Amino acid sequence: MDRISIALSVNGKPYQLAVEPRRLLADVLRRDLGFTGVHLGCEHGVCGACTVLLDGEVVRSCLMFAVQADGYEILTVEGLNTSGELHPVQRAFIEEFGFQCGFCTPGMILSAYRLLQEHPNPSEYEIRRALAGNLCRCTGYVDIVRSVQRAAVLLTQREAYRAP
Ligand code: FES
Ligand code: FES
C-alpha cells in the first residue's frame, strides 16, 4: 500500500514520517514513535486508554487514522513531564492512589489535565463527567476522582507560587 507523508508534532517535537493510510494514530504513536504511554485496550473507542490531546482537545487515538493528524500538535502522557519532574496531575494520582495496574492511567491523566485547564476547580460531578469516557477495571472511581481533586489543589498552589 502506498505511504503518505505526514508531519506531526508530538510533545513539542516535530516528526516527519511516511505511513500507510490505514494505520491508526494510536499505532503510529505507540509502535512507530515509541510513545508507549498510549495504551491500546478496546481499539474501538470505548475504554479511553488511548486518549491523547490533539491541538488541545481530548481524542481517542484508536479512532483516527494517522494521516488525519497531519499538521496537528499531539500531547501524550510523556509530554507532561518533559522538565524531568512529574506534572501535578501525575503527582496527584500517586498521592491519592488513583491507579493500580496503570493501564487506564495515561488516558485518565490526560482527560483530567484537559478538564483542569478549563475548570481549575471542578465539582465532583464535572470530574465524573469529564472522565466518563475513561474506563478503569481496577480501582473503582473514588480514588481517581480524589486524585483529580488533589490535582486541582496542586495546580492552584503552583499558580500561586508562580504569581509575582
Ligand atoms: S483503545 Fe482507544 S478507546 Fe479503547
Ligand atoms: S488502574 Fe488498572 S485499569 Fe485502571
Side-chain angles (χ1 to χ4, degrees):
M1 194 177 289
D2 286 345
R3 291 174 179 247
I4 295 179
S5 228
I6 60 171
L8 305 176
S9 163
V10 187
N11 303 331
K13 200 170 152 201
Y15 293 87
Q16 191 82 43
L17 56 169
V19 294
E20 291 177 5
R22 66 183 177 87
R23 295 211 75 213
L24 298 175
L25 177 60
D27 287 329
V28 168
L29 289 172
R30 183 179 170 84
R31 298 181 208 286
D32 298 1
L33 299 181
F35 293 103
T36 52
V38 180
H39 289 176
L40 280 155
C42 66
E43 298 191 48
H44 59 265
V46 176
C47 73
C50 66
T51 297
V52 298
L53 299 193
L54 189 82
D55 274 5
E57 295 304 325
V58 170
V59 300
R60 281 146 163 49
S61 57
C62 75
L63 290 186
M64 284 187 68
F65 295 116
V67 291
Q68 293 175 293
D70 184 24
Y72 281 84
E73 303 237 351
I74 294 163
L75 181 72
T76 73
V77 74
E78 288 92 343
L80 289 182
N81 65 348
T82 43
S83 67
E85 274 186 25
L86 288 179
H87 188 275
V89 182
Q90 294 172 307
R91 218 149 25 93
F93 270 71
I94 294 171
E95 288 180 12
E96 296 296 331
F97 305 102
F99 59 89
Q100 288 180 34
C101 80
F103 192 81
C104 69
T105 310
M108 290 283 183
I109 284 178
L110 285 167
S111 294
Y113 170 83
R114 180 69 187 108
L115 167 71
L116 294 168
Q117 281 182 322
E118 280 203 323
H119 301 283
N121 187 21
S123 65
E124 181 176 340
Y125 173 75
E126 286 170 325
I127 293 170
R128 287 184 180 275
R129 250 189 90 168
L131 298 182
N134 295 80
L135 304 184
C136 178
R137 301 296 295 269
C138 292
T139 67
Y141 295 90
V142 172
D143 288 342
I144 291 172
V145 171
R146 266 200 215 115
S147 299
V148 181
Q149 289 168 328
R150 175 73 184 144
V153 171
L154 292 178
L155 282 164
T156 306
Q157 285 172 350
R158 188 175 76 168
E159 286 313 307
Y161 180 70
R162 278 182 179 163

